[in-house]
Amino acid sequence: MSFELSPFEVGAALVSAAGVWLTARRSPWCWPVGLVSVIAYAWIFVEAKLYSDTLLQGVFAVLILYGWQRWMRHLDGDGHVRVAALDPRRAALHLVVGTVAALALGYGMHRWTDASLPWLDAALTAFSLVAQWWQARRHAAAWWLWIAVDVIYVGEYVYKALPVTAVLYAAFVGLAAMGWQAWRREYAREQGVAQRA
C-alpha cells in the first residue's frame, strides 16, 4: 500500500474541517461550506471505489440543504443555532433504522458492485446519515455518534491509502469532542435560562 499526497484531497480536507469547526461553533455557515466539501469528497470516493461513501455524499448534500433551512429558523440572538433535546425512544428508532440500512446497503454493495469494504463502508454510511440527521435536527447527541463513526473511518481511510482523509477524520474526532462539550454546555445554559423565566 503506497500513499500519494493529492492536492485535491488536501483542499477537500481543509474545506471539510472548516465545515465541522463551524458546526461545533453552531454557525449556520457550516452548511454552505459543508456542501462544497461533500461535492469534492464524492469525486475522491469514486476514485477510491468507496461507492457507499460516494452515495453518502449525495445524501449529505440533500441533508445539508435541509439542515441549513432548519437551522435558519432556530437561531438565537447571536446568530447561532439553538440546541434541541433528543428523545431516547426516537434515538433508539433512528439507530435501528441505521442498522437495517447498513445491512441492506452492505448486501447490495457486496452483491452487485466491486466496492471495496462493502459491509464496513455501508455501516459507516448508514450511521453517518443518522448522525447528519441528528445534526440537522440540532441534537447534541449527533456528536457522540460522529466520534464513534469517525474513529472507524480513520482506519478505513488508512487501509484505502487516503492519508490526508485519514488525518482529517482523526481531527474530526477532536472537533466532535469539542462540539459535544460546546453543544451540551449551551443546551444546559438555555435550559437554565428557560427555568428562570
Side-chain angles (χ1 to χ4, degrees), residues 66-106:
Y66 168 74
W68 194 359
Q69 65 87 23
R70 184 160 178 84
W71 276 32
M72 293 306 290
R73 290 186 286 139
H74 297 282
L75 298 178
D76 64 17
D78 295 326
H80 296 97
V81 73
R82 288 185 179 95
V83 180
L86 175 60
D87 177 65
R89 288 170 298 187
R90 283 195 182 269
L93 174 63
H94 297 160
L95 293 173
V96 168
V97 169
T99 301
V100 171
L103 293 171
L105 182 59

Side-chain angles (χ1 to χ4, degrees), residues 88-187:
R89 288 170 298 187
R90 283 195 182 269
L93 174 63
H94 297 160
L95 293 173
V96 168
V97 169
T99 301
V100 171
L103 293 171
L105 182 59
Y107 176 78
M109 291 294 168
H110 174 75
R111 178 89 168 89
W112 292 299
T113 75
D114 65 341
S116 180
L117 309 172
W119 295 100
L120 177 62
D121 196 33
L124 292 171
T125 294
F127 289 106
S128 291
L129 288 174
V130 173
Q132 186 71 22
W133 177 255
W134 287 355
Q135 186 174 302
R137 306 285 296 179
R138 306 175 293 117
H139 302 311
W143 292 110
W144 69 257
L145 188 52
W146 280 127
I147 291 168
V149 167
D150 290 345
V151 165
I152 299 168
Y153 265 129
V154 170
E156 180 182 69
Y157 295 141
V158 167
Y159 178 78
K160 290 303 297 178
L162 295 169
V164 174
T165 302
V167 170
L168 171 67
Y169 275 72
F172 281 171
V173 173
L175 287 170
M178 181 183 89
W180 167 248
Q181 290 177 341
W183 282 39
R184 263 191 19 200
R185 189 170 42 248
E186 181 58 23
Y187 181 72

